[in-house]
Structure formats: C-alpha cells, structure tokens
C-alpha cells in the first residue's frame, strides 16, 4: 500500500514535462510552475490547483461535455453540439430550432433542457486510496475483490451525499494506484438560452468534422437555475438563476499565434498506458467492427426516416453522434496505419521487463507485473464478440432497453439500498426517470425496429460458442442461422403488442414489483425477464475478471511508473472524466511535405467554402457582412478579418468539448470543440508535431451574437457592453 501511495506522490514532482503532452490533475500544477511560467502564464499556478477558487470553480461538467459560468446569473457557455440534444428536444416540425437557432428574449422565454440535463460544479477532491485498498491482499478471488472495492466506494459516496444537492463519485487513477472522492454540486434545472442556426453552429457538418481549416461557430448557452433558497431543485417556474461563486471573464481582446493558452475541462477516457496487445486488438478488430456496425446503423436510419420530417428530427442528434464516431474511427485507423505505436509499446514492455530483472528488489516487487496482466487481457479478449455485439448492439431497441432497466430496477429494489447495483440505488432514480421520459423525443417504432433487426442478424453471426441461449431461443436462432420470416413475425408482434412506447405506461412500471414484470404479457418485458438470468451469469463472470484485472493492472502501473520515474519521464494519469488542465500555445502544423497550416481561420474562409447547400450554406446576412466589411470591434488587424477558429497544441480528448480556452490571465478567449485529423489517435498516442486542438475564437462567437442574432442582452450580461463599431475607414474594412 505504501509503495503505491509513494509512487503516486512523486509523479508530478519527479517528472519533467516535454512538449505540451499531459492532462494534468489540478493538484499537480504547482509542480509544473516553472514550465507554465516560461510559456507565459501570468497567474499563480497554485490558484489553478484550488477547485474552490477562480478560475477552476467556474469550470463545470455537463456529463459528456464541459462548460463554464460566464455571468453572475448562472449563464453557461459550451459548444453547440453539447446543447444540440436540448435544441432537438424543443424542436417540432413547425418550430425547427435545429435549423433556425434559438434566442430567449428574457428569462421567462428560456426553455427546459433535455430531461436529465445537469450542471455539475466540483467542490472538493479528496484522496481516499487507503479507504479503498487497505486490507485487500492477494488472497481474495476476483469477484470478492471487485465487491469489496464496490462496497467501499458506495460507502464513501453515501457519506459524501449526506450533504443534500451534491453528487459524489470515486474515481480511479493510474490503473488503480490512486482513488479520489470528488464531490460536485448537482444543479437539476438547466435551460436553453441561445444557440445559433445550424448554418453557423454546424457549418461544414460531418464533411469538416476533425478537419482543418475549420469555420464552425460551435457555441451555445444554457442557464443554471436553483430554488429560491439557492439550493438545487427540480424544474419550476418559480426557480431563480444560480449565482456561482465565480465566473470567467470573457476577453474580447483576442489571442495571436504563439500565445500561451490552457484548457480546463472534463476529458472522458484515454488509454495511453495500455499494453501492445490491447492496442493491437483495438485497432485490428474493435474499431473496424464498431465502425461497420455504426455505418449500418446510419444507413438504416437514413432509409427509414426518408420522407418523415418528424422521425428525422427525432434521430438528428443520434445521426450526428454516429457520424462523429465513424469519422473518429476512420481517423484512428488512419493514424494507426502511419504510426509505429505497436513497436514502441513492445519496446517499452521489453525495457520494463529488463529493468524488473536487473535488480533483486524490482524482481521481488514486480516479477509478474507484465506477464500477469497479459494473461488476463488474453482471457478478456476471448469473449470480445459477445461482449460488444450482444452486450451493446443486439439489444439496441429503445423498448428493450427500457424494459431491461425497469425489470432490473424491480429486482434491485428488493435489496437494501446499500447493496443494490450502482445505477439502481435511490440516488439514481431521477436519472432513470429522466431517461425514460425523453424516449418519446428520440424514438420512432419503425426506425427502432429496422435498426434492431439488423443488429440481431449481426449477433447471430458471431461464434456460436459465445451465443446467449435465452436470446437465441426467443428469436429462434440455431447456431448461426436465422429464419428471416420468423424473425419478422416476432418483431412485428413485439412492436404491435408493447405499451412501452407510451410515456405514461413506462412511468407506471417504475413502481411495479418484480412479480408484475414476471407475469406481464408485454413482449419486451417478457424478453427482458427471459434473458435476465443469462445476463447476470455474464455479469458475474465479468466482475470476477474485472477484480483480477484491477489488481494486475495496478501492479503493472506501479512497476511502469517506477521505471519511468527512474528515467525522468513524465507520468500523468489517463483521462477518466475528472477535471484536468492542459496547456500549450497557439500554433499551426505541417501534416505532410509541402503543406503548412496557419493557426487561424477567418470569415473569408466561410465565404470561400460556401456553396449555398448544406453543410456549406452560411446565412446570407453573414456573407453580406464579409462582403461589405461589416467587422466592427472584433476585427483582428493581423488577420485583416474576423477570426473564426484557431489551433493550439493543448492535449485534449472527448469530454473536453465545450471546455473554456483561457489566456495567460485566466480569461476566456475561446471554446475547445474538436481536434485535427492527425490528433484522433491521441487517445492512445500523443505526437507533439501533429496533435492539435481546434477552438472557436470567442471573438467570432461575440460577432455572431451581435451582428447575426442580436444577442446583445447576453453580451451585456457577460460584461461585453455596447461599444462604437469600427468603420472601414478606421481599419476594420477590407
């Protein structure tokens, strides 16, 4: 236990960072003060380590995206694609907010966000490693180890959440070397305030996704509301705007090439410490297979929503996410094909093994650190088809997912709350209700049936030894054979016979006892009941393996970090959805011989790309403004235009979308929204010469707000007051 804690304690202090690699925990930043200050940071790095002080307490999580407070009245800025679900939720055939955008004229016109939307404000971060790991020796089975860790995490969370209005979670760092308890204020009333039209917020669409040069106005606004007592509350017209402890100052002064910038946000997952064989399996099998299925998914949605405007609106956000994922996989695979990551991983593992064997102390501590993990990874990969295709795709029906959630909840509610599966405790009921309630806005039975049918056929084709007997029996699958006509009859009967498509009916099942499910005639509920025992057997085996993997990965990471420390190499934790800070400079790059990209794009580029057809169909008003030189105060002399997007060397990944980009004084100068094509593989491998993040320049957002949509009330609220416009004769024109 002491070895693990000591290893973590010295990670930041002993490491000399190179380039701009690393997603750093705030507490590590003071140890990086020399590097930060040499790059131009003007505020005390110690202030960045305190979650309760500016600017870190203004950076918030939306769960999957990052955002930040930008006014004393709870105004929240993030990416357009992060508020897209709420835009879709509030759109109808007669009022298409996705196409036309939305601007609330006052507080009373702000619209409820998608059910379940939350604003999470981090308030504390505590090392709880001893409380998780003490006494967990090697004598436990994998299942016992898994359960003890889960029970201790639930105990810590329960203690933390005795403070009403907060959500707590235990997060693992360095492969299990460290555990931290993070407490967040949970704001439950979130409202849509403003989003530009599709032709600005999604300009370039999927064609430009992950590409540079980029010209996308990917920004939008929420507002956080609380009860009149200032505490989190469910949506009510009587609620009032939340007053954050601090909010980011928005700087309209702009940034330039070479300037220092940093990004604070909640990156999702990276895998930079995985084994060579894990990387090989991911790029050789996992990504290609998921890409194939997601393309299939997109094709079916496209065919079944054609001619149905309502269905197309319901699935617009899903289509956007799937397109993003498939293009991400394309970039991953392209980057992998050009990289030597496998060779470098194998070389590192060989060097690590030699280091272990070179010293008796190392050998005593770490003799099986590498071989033990490799053996368990082999075991994990043996059921990869079942785990992905049955575990995810073959049960993608919205109705089956609702039925499975409801039936599992009925069984978990038979247990004391502390013994329930995480995700089904009392603390999770609001999330479950929200998920069930929003199905209506994202579900069409014809589309759902068509998608599910395709995935059932895909499942039938996996190795028969990995099939799930109860699922096969329901659909009459024998080996790898499916009777298409029988499958269609079963599906027709299920969709015709279910009442789960009705929101009221779904909600009534929330309180139903297990016996009612087990006597139900609803076909989706009957299927959920039928496959439950098989699913639990799979889950139990997975937990046993996860428990053994936790110990093996922790031993491996302890050996690896000790080895890297001996070389003076930087060691930071993989991203895991917790608050991180990354830094760098505004800088272009050269992707190949003879090609050099500058770090800024401008309004001129929007005009050059414009075709008048989606996704390159900028508003005529914007095109006219560029033609007439209507630039105003957000004009950049050095660019001779309004800046739109810019590149930086900061190290980011999914979950960072919407993260505030801060200048050397900690002021908001942009919003991170994407990475370049060459950076997609950065979840696994960082290349300082090619890895770049893409940001919306805040000057473009402000220019759009003022000149396109008349959102000056929000600008005033952010501290950007009215100011005389720069005329063409004063240098603002072309």
């Amino acid at each position: 236990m002491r070895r693990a804690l000591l290893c973590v304690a010295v990670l930041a202090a002993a490491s000399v960072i190179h380039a701009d690699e690393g997603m750093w925990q705030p507490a590590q930043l003071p140890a990086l003060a020399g590097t930060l200050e040499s790059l131009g940071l003007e505020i005390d790095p110690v202030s960045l380590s305190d979650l309760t002080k500016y600017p870190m307490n203004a950076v918030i999580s939306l769960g999957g995206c990052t955002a930040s407070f930008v006014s004393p009245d709870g105004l929240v800025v993030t990416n357009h694609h992060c508020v897209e679900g709420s835009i879709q939720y509030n759109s109808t055939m007669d009022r298409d907010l996705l196409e036309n955008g939305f601007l609330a004229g006052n507080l009373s016109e702000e619209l409820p966000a998608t059910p379940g939307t939350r604003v999470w404000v981090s308030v504390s971060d505590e090392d709880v490693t001893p409380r998780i790991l003490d006494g967990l020796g090697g004598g436990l089975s994998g299942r016992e180890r898994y359960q003890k860790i889960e029970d201790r995490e639930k105990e810590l969370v329960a203690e933390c959440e005795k403070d009403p209005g907060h959500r707590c979670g235990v997060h693992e760092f360095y492969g299990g070397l460290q555990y931290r308890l993070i407490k967040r204020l949970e704001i439950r009333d979130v409202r849509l305030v403003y989003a530009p039209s599709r032709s600005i917020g999604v300009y370039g669409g999927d064609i430009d996704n992950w590409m540079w040069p980029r010209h996308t106005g990917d920004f939008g606004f929420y507002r956080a509301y609380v009860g009149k007592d200032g505490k989190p509350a469910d949506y009510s017209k009587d609620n009032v705007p939340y007053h954050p402890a601090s909010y980011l100052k928005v700087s309209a002064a702009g940034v330039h090439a070479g300037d220092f910038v940093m990004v604070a946000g909640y990156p999702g997952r990276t895998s930079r410490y995985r084994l060579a064989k894990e990387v090989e399996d991911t790029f050789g099998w996992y990504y290609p297979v998921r890409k194939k299925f997601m393309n299939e998914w997109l094709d079916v949605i496209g065919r079944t929503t054609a001619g149905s405007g309502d269905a197309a609106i319901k699935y617009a956000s899903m289509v956007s996410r799937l397109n993003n994922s498939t293009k991400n996989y394309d970039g991953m695979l392209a980057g992998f094909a050009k990289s030597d990551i496998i060779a470098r991983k194998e070389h590192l593992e060989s060097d690590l093994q030699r280091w272990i064997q070179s010293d008796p102390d190392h050998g005593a501590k770490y003799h099986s650190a590498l071989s033990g993990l490799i053996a368990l990874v082999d075991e994990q990969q043996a059921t990869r088809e079942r785990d992905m295709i049955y575990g995810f795709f073959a049960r993608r029906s919205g109705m089956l997912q609702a039925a499975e959630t409801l039936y599992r909840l009925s069984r978990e509610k038979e247990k004391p709350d502390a013994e329930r599966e995480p995700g089904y405790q009392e603390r999770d009921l609001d999330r479950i209700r929200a998920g069930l309630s929003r199905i209506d806005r994202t579900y069409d039975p014809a589309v759902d049936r068509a998608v599910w049918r395709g995935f059932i056929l895909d499942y039938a084709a996996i190795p028969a030894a990995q099939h799930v007997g109860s699922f096969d029996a329901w659909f009459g699958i024998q080996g790898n054979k499916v009777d298409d006509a029988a499958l269609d009859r079963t599906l027709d009967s299920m969709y015709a016979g279910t009442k789960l498509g009705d929101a009221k009916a779904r909600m009534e099942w929330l309180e139903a006892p297990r016996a009612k499910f087990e006597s139900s005639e609803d076909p989706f509920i009957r299927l959920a009941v039928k496959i439950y025992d098989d699913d639990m057997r799979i889950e139990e085996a997975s937990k046993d393996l996860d428990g053994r993997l936790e110990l093996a990965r922790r031993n491996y990471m302890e050996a690896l970090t000790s080895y890297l420390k001996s070389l003076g190499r930087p060691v930071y934790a993989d991203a895991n959805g917790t608050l991180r800070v990354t830094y760098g400079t505004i800088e272009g790059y050269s992707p190949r011989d003879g090609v050099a990209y500058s770090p800024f794009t401008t309004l001129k580029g929007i005009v050059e790309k414009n075709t008048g057809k989606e996704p390159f169909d900028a508003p005529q008003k914007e095109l006219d403004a560029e033609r007439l030189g209507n630039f105003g105060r957000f004009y950049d002399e050095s660019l001779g235009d309004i800046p739109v997007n810019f590149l930086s060397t900061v190290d980011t990944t999914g979950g960072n979308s919407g993260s505030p980009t801060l200048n050397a004084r900690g002021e908001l100068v942009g919003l991170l929204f994407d990475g370049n094509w060459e950076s997609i593989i950065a979840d696994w491998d960082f290349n300082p010469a090619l890895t770049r993040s893409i940001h919306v320049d805040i000057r473009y957002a402000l220019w759009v707000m003022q000149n396109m949509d008349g959102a000056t009330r929000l600008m005033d609220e952010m501290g950007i007051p009215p100011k005389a416009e720069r005329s063409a004769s004063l240098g603002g024109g072309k």
Side-chain angles (χ1 to χ4, degrees):
M1 182 70 248
R2 288 177 184 167
R3 291 201 313 269
L5 290 175
L6 178 61
C7 183
V8 171
V10 300
L11 290 177
S15 301
V16 179
I17 189 170
H18 61 86
D20 300 321
E21 178 179 355
M23 301 177 194
W24 301 95
Q25 295 165 248
Q28 294 178 293
L29 297 176
L32 301 172
T35 300
L36 292 168
E37 291 167 357
S38 70
L39 289 173
L41 181 67
E42 297 178 16
I43 60 177
D44 185 354
V46 174
S47 68
L48 298 174
S49 67
D50 191 338
L51 299 182
T52 66
K53 293 183 179 178
Y54 183 92
M56 302 309 291
N57 62 349
V59 181
I60 55 182
S61 173
L62 299 176
C65 280
T66 302
S68 50
F69 289 120
V70 286
S71 91
D73 289 322
L75 188 65
V76 170
V77 67
T78 186
N79 286 155
H80 184 280
H81 74 262
C82 295
V83 303
E84 185 177 45
S86 294
I87 304 171
Q88 173 191 341
Y89 179 79
N90 286 286
S91 290
T92 64
M93 286 286 291
D94 297 326
R95 192 189 188 201
D96 190 347
L97 304 184
L98 282 170
E99 182 66 27
N100 301 316
F102 171 75
L103 173 63
N106 51 54
L107 295 180
S108 67
E109 293 181 3
E110 295 175 358
L111 301 173
T114 308
T117 301
R118 298 288 187 267
V119 161
W120 282 288
V121 186
S122 295
V123 296
S124 68
D125 182 350
E126 176 188 359
D127 188 339
V128 292
T129 309
R131 291 192 61 179
I132 296 293
L133 296 181
D134 277 358
L136 297 187
L140 298 174
S141 70
R143 184 65 182 88
E144 290 169 335
R145 184 179 187 82
Y146 181 97
Q147 194 60 52
K148 284 186 178 294
I149 290 174
E150 181 182 280
D151 289 345
R152 292 176 180 187
E153 289 179 347
K154 288 194 291 188
E155 181 181 356
L156 285 163
V157 167
E159 289 176 8
C160 180
E161 291 184 353
K162 288 179 180 177
D163 187 358
H166 291 80
R167 187 82 170 183
C168 305
V170 176
H171 298 264
E172 176 190 287
F173 296 80
Y174 301 103
L177 282 177
Q178 184 185 63
Y179 289 83
R180 303 191 73 85
L181 175 67
I182 298 177
K183 180 178 181 180
R184 295 171 181 157
L185 183 71
E186 181 184 27
I187 299 177
R188 306 193 298 273
D189 185 352
V190 183
R191 304 185 195 179
L192 180 65
V193 177
Y194 166 55
S197 65
R198 175 198 53 77
S199 55
I200 288 178
V202 196
Y203 189 77
D206 294 320
I207 295 173
D208 267 6
N209 195 18
W210 300 100
M211 295 291 121
W212 187 261
R214 194 73 175 274
H215 301 84
T216 309
D218 200 347
F219 68 93
F221 290 84
Y222 278 140
R223 192 183 304 278
Y225 281 79
V226 291
K228 290 183 177 180
D229 59 0
K231 297 179 181 179
D234 292 331
Y235 173 84
S236 169
K237 64 180 181 180
D238 296 325
N239 286 348
V240 297
Y242 171 68
H243 300 303
S246 66
Y247 54 93
L248 297 181
K249 178 181 179 182
V250 178
S251 172
V255 284
H256 303 90
D259 282 359
F260 170 87
V261 288
M262 57 186 172
V263 165
Y266 292 83
R269 293 282 170 184
T270 55
S271 303
R272 293 183 185 166
Y273 299 111
R274 294 299 188 185
L275 300 177
K277 72 183 293 70
E278 293 178 283
V279 176
E280 188 170 27
D281 183 72
T282 298
F283 287 90
W285 182 81
Y286 183 84
Y287 285 158
V289 172
R290 281 187 69 94
K291 178 189 168 188
K292 170 185 174 293
F293 289 152
M294 288 184 171
N295 278 327
E296 177 184 320
W297 198 344
L298 281 165
D299 288 343
V300 174
I301 292 174
R303 290 197 307 270
T304 51
T305 60
S308 174
D310 183 61
I313 289 174
K314 286 181 175 181
Y315 284 86
S317 184
M318 172 67 74
V319 167
S320 178
R321 291 197 301 272
L322 290 172
N323 276 322
N324 185 62
S325 294
T326 56
K327 194 162 187 177
N328 181 283
Y329 292 148
D330 282 337
M332 287 277 194
L333 294 169
F336 176 75
K338 296 178 181 178
S339 103
D340 62 347
I341 182 174
I342 296 294
R344 284 184 284 111
K345 288 277 186 183
E346 290 174 340
H347 185 72
L348 174 63
E349 289 166 21
S350 295
D351 287 349
L352 172 62
Q353 193 61 33
R354 280 194 293 271
W355 179 80
I356 290 172
Q357 295 170 347
S358 70
D359 186 297
D361 288 341
H362 299 163
K365 293 177 184 178
Y366 310 127
H367 68 281
S368 62
L370 182 57
S371 61
L373 180 57
I374 288 173
L376 290 178
V377 168
D378 284 336
E379 183 178 341
Q380 184 181 49
Q381 292 176 359
T383 57
R384 63 186 187 180
E385 290 86 0
R386 183 201 66 197
D387 297 339
M388 180 206 288
I389 299 168
Y390 174 73
F392 183 80
F393 290 103
R395 288 146 64 193
R396 286 309 298 171
S397 164
M399 295 298 93
L400 179 57
Q401 290 178 316
E404 287 190 288
T405 297
L406 289 163
Y407 180 54
R408 180 70 181 270
L409 178 63
S410 76
R411 296 189 65 131
E412 295 295 332
K413 286 168 72 174
E414 295 177 340
K415 308 172 187 176
D417 190 58
E419 297 177 16
R420 295 184 196 175
E421 185 71 13
Y424 293 91
Q425 295 179 281
E426 290 297 320
R427 66 193 293 268
D428 302 305
L429 293 183
D430 284 345
R431 178 190 58 80
I432 292 173
R433 288 190 188 95
L436 292 169
S437 69
R438 63 175 173 257
I439 288 175
D440 289 350
R441 298 295 185 97
T442 58
Y443 168 79
D444 178 272
V447 180
D448 195 74
R449 181 197 184 283
V451 169
W452 193 30
R453 185 187 191 280
F455 288 149
I456 292 170
L457 294 174
D458 290 325
Y459 157 79
I462 72 173
Q466 295 186 44
H467 276 215
V468 178
S470 55
F471 195 80
D472 284 9
W474 182 270
F475 290 107
I477 299 170
Q478 296 182 344
N480 297 118
K481 296 180 180 178
V482 182
D483 184 324
D484 284 353
L487 175 61
D488 283 329
R489 287 193 297 271
T490 299
L491 292 175
D492 288 344
S493 175
M494 292 182 73
Y495 282 92
T498 189
K499 294 183 180 179
L500 291 177
D502 177 71
K504 183 179 179 182
R506 288 195 301 274
M507 294 306 176
E508 289 173 351
W509 281 104
L510 275 169
E511 304 302 326
R514 169 182 170 182
K516 185 174 180 181
F517 285 88
E518 294 174 354
S519 63
S520 173
E521 292 301 315
D522 186 292
F524 282 98
I525 291 175
R526 286 173 54 215
L527 176 57
V529 171
K530 186 176 183 66
I531 64 178
Y532 179 84
D533 287 342
D534 278 343
D535 287 349
M536 290 304 99
R537 280 191 285 273
I538 293 170
E539 185 176 299
E540 285 296 303
S542 177
K543 288 179 177 180
D544 178 72
L545 177 57
D546 286 347
R548 289 179 284 138
L549 273 167
E550 190 278 338
L551 178 59
R553 200 163 309 269
R554 183 163 64 87
N555 290 340
Y556 170 73
M557 284 301 298
E558 184 176 351
L560 180 63
T561 52
S562 295
Y563 169 60
L564 294 175
K565 170 182 170 289
S566 74
L567 300 177
R569 294 268 298 274
V571 184
Y572 50 86
D574 265 320
N576 62 355
T578 61
L579 186 59
R580 303 295 179 92
V581 177
T582 179
Y583 59 86
T585 54
I586 296 177
E587 186 178 322
Y589 73 108
S590 176
R592 56 191 177 275
D593 184 46
V595 176
Y597 287 134
S598 61
F600 283 91
T601 59
T602 65
L603 278 178
K604 180 182 178 182
I606 293 176
V607 175
E608 290 174 344
K609 283 184 177 178
N610 204 69
T611 64
K613 297 180 180 179
E614 186 178 345
F616 299 107
D617 54 343
Q620 188 61 46
K621 187 176 181 181
E622 184 171 45
L623 300 175
D624 290 343
E626 166 66 14
R627 178 175 56 83
L628 297 171
N630 181 18
F631 299 142
R633 55 178 152 153
F634 304 117
Y635 175 84
D636 186 303
E637 296 275 2
S638 62
L639 298 173
D641 208 337
I642 299 292
V644 175
N645 296 155
F646 63 83
L647 293 171
S648 81
T649 61
V650 299
D651 185 3
T652 58
T653 189
N656 272 124
S657 289
S659 293
T661 307
L662 309 175
N663 64 15
R665 296 177 295 282
E667 299 165 338
L668 181 73
V669 293
L671 299 171
L672 185 136
F673 73 98
D674 208 353
N676 62 328
W677 184 250
E678 294 78 12
S679 77
I680 297 178
I681 198 174
D683 282 359
W684 299 84
D685 189 33
F686 185 88
N687 183 335
L690 297 176
T691 300
R692 296 292 182 270
S693 292
I694 305 176
H695 314 248
V696 182
D697 194 305
I698 201 63
R699 290 171 290 180
Y700 178 59
L702 294 171
W703 183 85
V704 168
M705 293 173 73
Q706 177 174 283
N707 294 283
M708 297 294 103
D709 295 329
T712 53
R713 180 180 66 87
L714 298 181
M715 295 174 65
D716 290 344
E717 185 177 343
M718 291 189 293
I720 309 294
K723 183 178 179 181
E725 290 301 303
R726 184 196 302 266
S727 67
S729 62
L730 294 176
K734 296 177 69 177

mmCIF file of all heavy atoms in Angstrom, residues 3-14 127 174 178:
data_model
loop_
_atom_site.group_PDB
_atom_site.id
_atom_site.type_symbol
_atom_site.label_atom_id
_atom_site.label_comp_id
_atom_site.label_asym_id
_atom_site.label_seq_id
_atom_site.Cartn_x
_atom_site.Cartn_y
_atom_site.Cartn_z
ATOM 1 N N ARG A 3 3.956 1.545 -1.002
ATOM 2 C CA ARG A 3 4.660 1.689 -2.282
ATOM 3 C C ARG A 3 3.781 2.386 -3.305
ATOM 4 O O ARG A 3 4.217 3.255 -4.042
ATOM 5 C CB ARG A 3 5.071 0.309 -2.815
ATOM 6 C CG ARG A 3 6.152 -0.371 -2.019
ATOM 7 C CD ARG A 3 6.858 -1.435 -2.868
ATOM 8 N NE ARG A 3 5.922 -2.285 -3.563
ATOM 9 C CZ ARG A 3 5.433 -3.421 -3.084
ATOM 10 N NH1 ARG A 3 5.763 -3.806 -1.863
ATOM 11 N NH2 ARG A 3 4.612 -4.154 -3.809
ATOM 12 N N ALA A 4 2.496 2.001 -3.356
ATOM 13 C CA ALA A 4 1.581 2.588 -4.338
ATOM 14 C C ALA A 4 1.389 4.066 -4.087
ATOM 15 O O ALA A 4 1.424 4.882 -5.000
ATOM 16 C CB ALA A 4 0.238 1.861 -4.300
ATOM 17 N N LEU A 5 1.188 4.446 -2.817
ATOM 18 C CA LEU A 5 0.973 5.850 -2.491
ATOM 19 C C LEU A 5 2.215 6.677 -2.762
ATOM 20 O O LEU A 5 2.141 7.796 -3.276
ATOM 21 C CB LEU A 5 0.555 5.984 -1.027
ATOM 22 C CG LEU A 5 -0.844 5.467 -0.693
ATOM 23 C CD1 LEU A 5 -1.083 5.559 0.807
ATOM 24 C CD2 LEU A 5 -1.909 6.247 -1.430
ATOM 25 N N LEU A 6 3.391 6.131 -2.420
ATOM 26 C CA LEU A 6 4.626 6.856 -2.652
ATOM 27 C C LEU A 6 4.835 7.086 -4.148
ATOM 28 O O LEU A 6 5.219 8.167 -4.582
ATOM 29 C CB LEU A 6 5.807 6.066 -2.081
ATOM 30 C CG LEU A 6 7.195 6.690 -2.308
ATOM 31 C CD1 LEU A 6 7.282 8.050 -1.637
ATOM 32 C CD2 LEU A 6 8.285 5.758 -1.798
ATOM 33 N N CYS A 7 4.520 6.059 -4.933
ATOM 34 C CA CYS A 7 4.672 6.176 -6.382
ATOM 35 C C CYS A 7 3.835 7.310 -6.943
ATOM 36 O O CYS A 7 4.300 8.116 -7.738
ATOM 37 C CB CYS A 7 4.279 4.858 -7.029
ATOM 38 S SG CYS A 7 4.492 4.828 -8.802
ATOM 39 N N VAL A 8 2.590 7.414 -6.483
ATOM 40 C CA VAL A 8 1.704 8.471 -6.956
ATOM 41 C C VAL A 8 2.184 9.832 -6.489
ATOM 42 O O VAL A 8 2.148 10.820 -7.208
ATOM 43 C CB VAL A 8 0.261 8.212 -6.485
ATOM 44 C CG1 VAL A 8 -0.619 9.409 -6.794
ATOM 45 C CG2 VAL A 8 -0.289 6.976 -7.168
ATOM 46 N N ALA A 9 2.646 9.911 -5.260
ATOM 47 C CA ALA A 9 3.022 11.196 -4.673
ATOM 48 C C ALA A 9 4.145 11.876 -5.434
ATOM 49 O O ALA A 9 4.218 13.102 -5.488
ATOM 50 C CB ALA A 9 3.433 10.998 -3.215
ATOM 51 N N VAL A 10 5.046 11.081 -6.027
ATOM 52 C CA VAL A 10 6.199 11.697 -6.683
ATOM 53 C C VAL A 10 5.993 11.895 -8.179
ATOM 54 O O VAL A 10 6.870 12.403 -8.861
ATOM 55 C CB VAL A 10 7.476 10.841 -6.467
ATOM 56 C CG1 VAL A 10 7.779 10.712 -4.999
ATOM 57 C CG2 VAL A 10 7.335 9.471 -7.108
ATOM 58 N N LEU A 11 4.846 11.508 -8.698
ATOM 59 C CA LEU A 11 4.672 11.545 -10.155
ATOM 60 C C LEU A 11 4.914 12.917 -10.747
ATOM 61 O O LEU A 11 5.645 13.077 -11.714
ATOM 62 C CB LEU A 11 3.281 11.044 -10.533
ATOM 63 C CG LEU A 11 3.068 9.548 -10.304
ATOM 64 C CD1 LEU A 11 1.637 9.179 -10.647
ATOM 65 C CD2 LEU A 11 4.038 8.725 -11.123
ATOM 66 N N ALA A 12 4.255 13.938 -10.171
ATOM 67 C CA ALA A 12 4.404 15.272 -10.746
ATOM 68 C C ALA A 12 5.763 15.860 -10.421
ATOM 69 O O ALA A 12 6.438 16.419 -11.279
ATOM 70 C CB ALA A 12 3.300 16.187 -10.233
ATOM 71 N N ALA A 13 6.188 15.737 -9.170
ATOM 72 C CA ALA A 13 7.411 16.393 -8.733
ATOM 73 C C ALA A 13 8.641 15.848 -9.449
ATOM 74 O O ALA A 13 9.582 16.583 -9.729
ATOM 75 C CB ALA A 13 7.572 16.220 -7.226
ATOM 76 N N ALA A 14 8.640 14.554 -9.758
ATOM 77 C CA ALA A 14 9.830 13.948 -10.342
ATOM 78 C C ALA A 14 9.853 14.033 -11.861
ATOM 79 O O ALA A 14 10.839 13.675 -12.477
ATOM 80 C CB ALA A 14 9.913 12.483 -9.922
ATOM 81 N N ASP A 127 -8.183 12.445 -1.626
ATOM 82 C CA ASP A 127 -7.531 11.152 -1.831
ATOM 83 C C ASP A 127 -8.101 10.148 -0.830
ATOM 84 O O ASP A 127 -8.004 10.335 0.382
ATOM 85 C CB ASP A 127 -6.024 11.301 -1.628
ATOM 86 C CG ASP A 127 -5.252 10.050 -2.016
ATOM 87 O OD1 ASP A 127 -5.855 8.953 -2.064
ATOM 88 O OD2 ASP A 127 -4.040 10.151 -2.254
ATOM 89 N N TYR A 174 -4.273 6.139 -12.434
ATOM 90 C CA TYR A 174 -3.061 5.340 -12.604
ATOM 91 C C TYR A 174 -3.343 3.846 -12.482
ATOM 92 O O TYR A 174 -2.631 3.102 -11.808
ATOM 93 C CB TYR A 174 -1.989 5.762 -11.595
ATOM 94 C CG TYR A 174 -1.594 7.210 -11.700
ATOM 95 C CD1 TYR A 174 -2.069 8.140 -10.776
ATOM 96 C CD2 TYR A 174 -0.765 7.655 -12.720
ATOM 97 C CE1 TYR A 174 -1.738 9.477 -10.868
ATOM 98 C CE2 TYR A 174 -0.423 8.997 -12.823
ATOM 99 C CZ TYR A 174 -0.916 9.904 -11.892
ATOM 100 O OH TYR A 174 -0.573 11.226 -11.991
ATOM 101 N N GLN A 178 -4.327 4.922 -7.339
ATOM 102 C CA GLN A 178 -4.893 6.003 -6.544
ATOM 103 C C GLN A 178 -6.395 6.084 -6.789
ATOM 104 O O GLN A 178 -6.870 5.850 -7.905
ATOM 105 C CB GLN A 178 -4.231 7.341 -6.933
ATOM 106 C CG GLN A 178 -4.676 8.523 -6.089
ATOM 107 C CD GLN A 178 -4.086 9.828 -6.605
ATOM 108 O OE1 GLN A 178 -4.362 10.249 -7.712
ATOM 109 N NE2 GLN A 178 -3.250 10.457 -5.787
#
